[in-house]
Amino acid sequence: MTLLGSRKNGPSAAQDGSVARRRPRGGEMSALAMRSTQLLLTVAVLGAWELSARAGIVDEFFFPLPSDIFQTVWVWVSSGFVFPHLWVTMQEAILAFLVGAAVGLLLGFVLARVRFLERLLDPFLQMFNALPRVVLAPIFLLWFGLGIWSKVAFGFTLVFFIVFFNTLEGVKSVDRVLVDNARMLGASEKQLLRHVFIPSALTWIFSSLHISVGFAITGAVVGEYLGASAGVGYAIAQAQGVFDTKGVFAGMFILMIVVLIIDLLVNRLERHLLRWRPVRSS
């Protein structure tokens, strides 16, 4: 009976394994269908925009033809005009992102583990977080000048609070039973941080990083728009100064593509670091 039972269970286990292996395949197909739908939606919106502008329903001065915008983008790219500006903007955004994320992660972990410091600094952090960032941009321009560091400082204020508050909540939301069990087994604070708190808070951290990428670039561009000698924000401001709406939209389109590429890279890094999580069945 035992032998028959084991034989009976064998094919079922194999079938379950094949089903489990086929699930990612179905996920890939659904992802492909979603990407196709997104592409069709983009084409439909741009097509409706193009037809509306050509029919005179939309004023081309305020909303230029998508074909003219893409032509301007091609001119900027083929002539190499945009690359020096894009390089400056990316330097500012990357520095703001790295510094803001690093300080936000460090302070988030420290305050989550030291209750006294969290209670001491909480009103000050909430106060500075409520401060409108645009107010700080002119001050940073006075302090650091028109170079990249005024934009880095402005972007830092956007990135830091997003990463900090998500890290703080992620560490504080770790299951206390899991922490107590690890301590009973003799885990030190360093081991708790490495094997319990960081893996448990990674989802919160990457959620904040996804948002911070766009905010880092936003901080760089807004800072350039208010005062700079180079950068995509500076190029957009120059185009706006001569009422070149095609140039304004072209700069916006280039920034959107850059943010999309960076977000895809962050997604890949997230999947690599969180590969230990069980795959959700769709």
Side-chain angles (χ1 to χ4, degrees):
M1 293 296 293
T2 305
L3 181 60
L4 290 175
S6 62
R7 288 180 179 177
K8 184 177 180 180
N9 293 334
S12 299
Q15 291 174 1
D16 292 342
S18 63
V19 171
R21 286 192 296 269
R22 285 198 297 267
R23 280 177 182 173
R25 184 73 177 179
E28 291 176 3
M29 294 300 292
S30 62
L32 179 61
M34 178 59 67
R35 297 301 183 193
S36 302
T37 305
Q38 291 171 343
L39 180 61
L40 289 175
L41 178 61
T42 303
V43 172
V45 171
L46 292 177
W49 182 357
E50 180 87 16
L51 293 175
S52 299
R54 291 187 180 276
I57 300 175
V58 176
D59 192 344
E60 291 187 31
F61 179 79
F62 298 103
F63 297 95
L65 296 172
S67 56
D68 291 339
I69 297 173
F70 294 145
Q71 183 179 2
T72 303
V73 171
W74 172 250
V75 171
W76 283 17
V77 172
S78 60
S79 65
F81 166 77
V82 72
F83 293 117
H85 295 290
L86 187 60
W87 170 242
V88 172
T89 300
M90 293 310 301
Q91 288 184 76
E92 298 162 352
I94 291 173
L95 286 172
F97 177 78
L98 293 178
V99 177
V103 177
L105 286 171
L106 178 61
L107 197 61
F109 273 106
V110 170
L111 266 62
R113 301 298 298 142
V114 183
R115 178 64 176 167
F116 170 75
L117 288 179
E118 181 192 0
R119 295 178 61 186
L120 176 65
L121 299 179
D122 180 69
F124 301 101
L125 291 169
Q126 295 291 347
M127 181 173 57
F128 283 111
N129 184 40
L131 187 67
R133 305 299 191 273
V134 180
V135 177
L136 298 174
I139 299 177
F140 290 147
L141 286 174
L142 292 175
W143 288 353
F144 303 107
L146 295 177
I148 67 171
W149 294 111
S150 59
K151 288 73 178 176
V152 172
F154 184 67
F156 170 85
T157 61
L158 297 174
V159 173
F160 165 75
F161 287 103
I162 297 173
V163 177
F164 166 74
F165 283 114
N166 276 273
T167 303
L168 181 68
E169 292 301 322
V171 176
K172 289 171 63 177
S173 65
V174 175
D175 190 357
R176 300 304 306 175
V177 176
L178 180 62
V179 177
D180 293 339
N181 289 338
R183 281 178 173 163
M184 289 177 59
L185 294 173
S188 63
E189 187 67 24
K190 181 179 179 181
Q191 291 172 328
L192 282 173
L193 183 65
R194 179 179 178 183
H195 299 290
V196 177
F197 289 111
I198 292 180
S200 300
L202 274 180
T203 303
W204 288 77
I205 292 171
F206 273 103
S207 176
S208 66
L209 294 181
H210 282 294
I211 303 172
S212 299
V213 168
F215 274 93
I217 296 180
T218 299
V221 172
V222 171
E224 293 167 353
Y225 189 84
L226 294 177
S229 57
V232 178
Y234 170 79
I236 293 175
Q238 293 298 307
Q240 183 190 18
V242 295
F243 301 102
D244 181 14
T245 53
K246 292 181 290 186
V248 174
F249 277 90
M252 294 167 56
F253 178 80
I254 291 172
L255 289 174
M256 287 189 292
I257 295 299
V258 171
V259 171
L260 179 61
I261 294 173
I262 296 176
D263 188 66
L264 291 175
L265 295 176
V266 174
N267 274 328
R268 286 185 174 273
L269 180 61
E270 180 182 9
R271 286 198 299 267
H272 175 71
L273 294 178
L274 299 181
R275 62 187 183 277
W276 52 269
R277 293 191 308 177
V279 179
R280 296 179 181 178
S281 58
S282 56

